[in-house]
Amino acid sequence: KFKMKETFSALFHFILISSVVVHAFEPISTTIVAGLGTSALGKKLYNYLFETCDDNWIGFNATGLQEDLEEKLFGQHVASRVILKAVTGFMNSENPKKPLVLSLHGWTGTGKIFVSQLIAENIYQKGMASGFVHLFAATAHFPHEVHLETYKAQLQQWIKGNVTNCPRSMFIFDEMDKMHPGLIDGIKPYLDFYERLDGVSYRQAIFIFLSNAGGEKIVQVALDFWTSGREREEIELKDLEMALSLSVFNNKNSEYQAHVMVSKDNKNLVDFFVPFLPLEFKHVVQCGLAEMAAKGLTPDAAVVDHMARDMNYFPKDERVFSLHGCKAISNQLDFYID
């Protein structure tokens, strides 16, 4: 019993200091951990304790995603519908013809990163902390153009290695509008319809691109609806698709279409373009109340209302839409809480 206690003590200590096993990049440590798991505890216990690419750790919760989108994502009825349909359809497909590629567009603070988090949480038990979810930000991970070829080679190896290790991997790229077109070109082969590329199938992977491109046109559509006295909820995807087309696809200053949208043989690589609307005062209040609850506090409408009114809105006179959405609410809220 004492030896067993020591074994479990050592094992749980190891869990605290270890990261997820990634066979493609750590063959030596993987061998050690696998040996420990299979010989000392057995395969089932090993899979229970360590994140592995199987049903123990990965499984789509369609109901959970629908509820999260309805209850946690504020002011984005169009995006919610598109995302639920896209992710559910892909995850329920036994033999997808290509990886799922989502392109999320809108101003900062409208929920693009948050939606990516919700998707991850309803596929991976560990959510964004999963070793199978990979987040890249253009300005943070690829800041120097002079190192473009190095970035490109490393990124391609990272994608290939991780999909080899776990076909159901997710890759999130933030600030796509700031990413060098040469680096975008390096991603494109993995988005295509290939059955296998260099012996690896990418058809179960998920790629999510986040961009501010098209944000101004999306805002204009929302403002036009407000000006004409129409309800925000009347805005449909078709109303925003034209705005995206004019500002992103036909923008000579944007490299996005030429380097992401279409493959060499003119196939569309992005499956769904998802527009995010600017947030109104009521949505900022909803975000604030949700943030108080997330902090373990009792939601206080008076405190959140005070904070929301102090934030910046546009147009200047009408104060219809929040300038920064919900992005800075977590930090700003601390200032208003006694």
Side-chain angles (χ1 to χ4, degrees), residues 251-309:
N251 184 353
K252 294 181 180 180
N253 296 320
S254 173
E255 301 285 353
Y256 196 74
Q257 179 189 15
H259 292 278
V260 176
M261 310 298 182
V262 180
S263 64
K264 290 182 179 180
D265 53 356
N266 293 321
K267 288 181 293 189
N268 194 356
L269 298 179
V270 176
D271 301 300
F272 295 90
F273 297 98
V274 188
F276 281 70
L277 296 166
L279 299 182
E280 300 175 10
F281 174 83
K282 62 182 179 182
H283 304 126
V284 174
V285 170
Q286 288 177 306
C287 289
L289 293 172
E291 184 61 29
M292 287 195 75
K295 290 176 178 289
L297 303 171
T298 301
D300 189 321
V303 169
V304 172
D305 186 86
H306 186 190
M307 176 206 68
R309 292 186 185 282

Side-chain angles (χ1 to χ4, degrees), residues 12-47:
F12 281 107
H13 177 70
F14 181 80
I15 294 170
L16 293 173
I17 64 174
S18 299
S19 58
V20 173
V21 179
V22 180
H23 299 272
F25 298 101
E26 296 181 324
I28 298 177
S29 61
T30 296
T31 302
I32 295 173
V33 175
L36 175 61
T38 56
S39 64
L41 299 175
K43 186 176 181 180
K44 288 186 178 181
L45 184 54
Y46 169 77
N47 289 342

